Amino acid sequence: MILSDTDLREYLRSGRLVVDPLDWGVVRENGLDLGLGPEYCEVLPLRLTLTVGEGDPSRYYRCGRGGEYVELKPSTHYLLHTLEYLALPDDLMGFVELRSTFARLGFLIPPTIVDAGFRGQLTVEVVTPPYPTRVRVGTRFLHVVFARTFTPVANTYKGRYQGQAGVTLPRW
């Protein structure tokens, strides 16, 4: 079942769902809008072979921190993160999408799921449009739709990205 704005406000008021910092204006009809954090990692177009699960993946990225804006190159893959920290209870999961304005500008993200029990800022891959862009830190760029599971999840998320802050690179 997808949560409505009424359901989300109740989850937030009761503390079962945590969003920090919380601006009640991010609660939308059927989800939450989340803001852009200041850190970014550009996926570098290297010709080095990456063997998944081996070596240090950081050499495939150029990471930095924006000031008032995050400056993004055209047609480039980035890892970006949310300004907000989330903590999901054992009966909620989330579907992460771009806000429609960003999709209409040519930004893309792959399907991204937030598992029940996840805690931390979200890191998402974003592909930029074919022109340079500047996005103000804090701009609402993601929309997360929350779904309630029929029963609480017995094995909540305890993976390697639990508690992440800022952009988190792949971890093996």
Side-chain angles (χ1 to χ4, degrees):
M1 173 174 68
I2 303 292
L3 270 62
S4 70
D5 54 355
T6 303
D7 298 322
L8 287 166
R9 285 187 191 94
E10 176 54 35
Y11 266 84
L12 290 163
R13 280 191 193 102
S14 71
R16 290 179 288 167
L17 172 62
V18 174
V19 176
D20 185 31
L22 174 61
D23 170 355
W24 288 97
V26 304
V27 179
R28 306 298 301 162
E29 299 79 3
N30 60 349
L32 301 177
D33 288 346
L34 300 178
L36 175 67
E39 296 178 23
Y40 61 87
C41 288
E42 175 187 352
V43 180
L44 298 174
L46 302 176
R47 295 192 181 271
L48 301 170
T49 299
L50 169 73
T51 301
V52 175
E54 296 179 14
D56 179 8
S58 68
R59 64 195 248 181
Y60 296 88
Y61 297 88
R62 183 184 62 81
C63 298
R65 185 177 181 88
E68 184 178 353
Y69 292 90
V70 174
E71 307 272 344
L72 303 170
K73 296 177 184 175
S75 303
T76 303
H77 292 251
Y78 284 91
L79 295 181
L80 303 175
H81 73 98
T82 59
L83 194 59
E84 297 85 358
Y85 166 95
L86 301 177
L88 276 64
D90 62 1
D91 66 341
L92 283 187
M93 58 82 58
F95 300 97
V96 182
E97 296 291 337
L98 280 173
R99 291 192 67 224
S100 66
T101 298
F102 281 85
R104 292 169 198 219
L105 291 170
F107 287 82
L108 300 169
I109 67 169
T112 305
I113 299 293
V114 184
D115 293 315
F118 173 81
R119 294 183 310 280
Q121 291 175 319
L122 302 180
T123 295
V124 296
E125 180 197 10
V126 175
V127 180
T128 57
Y131 44 83
T133 53
R134 293 177 1 146
V135 183
R136 187 182 302 274
V137 170
T139 298
R140 296 180 305 163
F141 79 115
L142 294 180
H143 183 73
V144 182
V145 174
F146 292 91
R148 186 177 315 159
T149 58
F150 287 107
T151 59
V153 174
N155 186 23
T156 58
Y157 183 79
K158 296 174 187 67
R160 60 184 65 117
Y161 302 107
Q162 187 72 287
Q164 68 187 5
V167 170
T168 304
L169 296 179
R171 296 174 174 166
W172 334 120

